[in-house]
Amino acid sequence: MNTYILLLRGINVGGRNSLPMRELVDLLEALECRNVKTYIQSGNVVFQSGKGAPSLAKQISADVKKRCGFEPHTLLLHFQEFEGAIAANPFREAESDPKDLHFGFLASVPPNPDLRKLDALKAKSERFQLIDKVFYLYAPDGVGRSKLAASSERLLGVTMTDRNWRTVCKIRDMAEALDQ
């Protein structure tokens, strides 16, 4: 059995794209996923399945659309991929600021990211680095006010879903508990 991390983007935000976590758990269990655990209401799930990631991700998106009427961006990672993203974090010193350190998980490696424009947008206090399919951002003045954060997906040219360090750690802990 594979341990997976499911990151859904754009659900339960501002009263739109409502997907109660209990309904998501039921949906995943109907797809023969086991030991399904969710964290907060924004689409963070860990579970185990014997199915392959690409077909399972498509199935999850299709089932959400059928049940709820919208199709969220669905990113499904093997636990090892998620651990690799954590291990590659270039801003270890920022781990003590869990709301200021962000991991932007990308759908694929950006073929032509505009790193110069990203660099031009960053505030003096901000730092970023793109490593494979993760856009790391340290924004000590807050992501909500960051021009870099607001433009990163467009300038990377790849769909992205963002999680702060606190959420990344919680998801890792949940997946580790399943993987034992």
Side-chain angles (χ1 to χ4, degrees), residues 66-164:
K66 188 170 25 173
R67 286 185 184 208
C68 303
F70 68 91
E71 191 170 7
H73 171 66
T74 303
L75 185 61
L76 190 60
L77 304 168
H78 284 93
F79 180 42
Q80 294 80 7
E81 289 177 86
F82 197 78
E83 285 183 309
I86 292 170
N89 174 18
F91 306 121
R92 296 269 177 218
E93 68 282 3
E95 291 176 359
S96 62
D97 296 323
K99 66 181 184 351
D100 299 333
L101 176 59
H102 289 255
F103 287 44
F105 293 95
L106 305 171
S108 61
V109 174
N112 202 12
D114 195 337
L115 298 177
R116 286 190 336 182
K117 279 190 182 173
L118 285 167
D119 196 50
L121 285 173
K122 75 179 176 87
K124 289 183 191 236
S125 63
E126 293 178 327
R127 291 182 285 154
F128 74 90
Q129 191 163 348
L130 174 63
I131 301 174
D132 296 322
K133 294 187 337 181
V134 183
F135 180 73
Y136 299 90
L137 173 62
Y138 177 54
D141 296 331
V143 168
R145 290 180 274 195
S146 171
K147 291 179 184 177
L148 172 60
S151 299
S152 58
E153 182 178 49
R154 180 178 53 81
L155 293 172
L156 290 168
V158 175
T159 303
M160 177 172 75
T161 187
D162 186 76
R163 299 299 187 270
N164 69 27

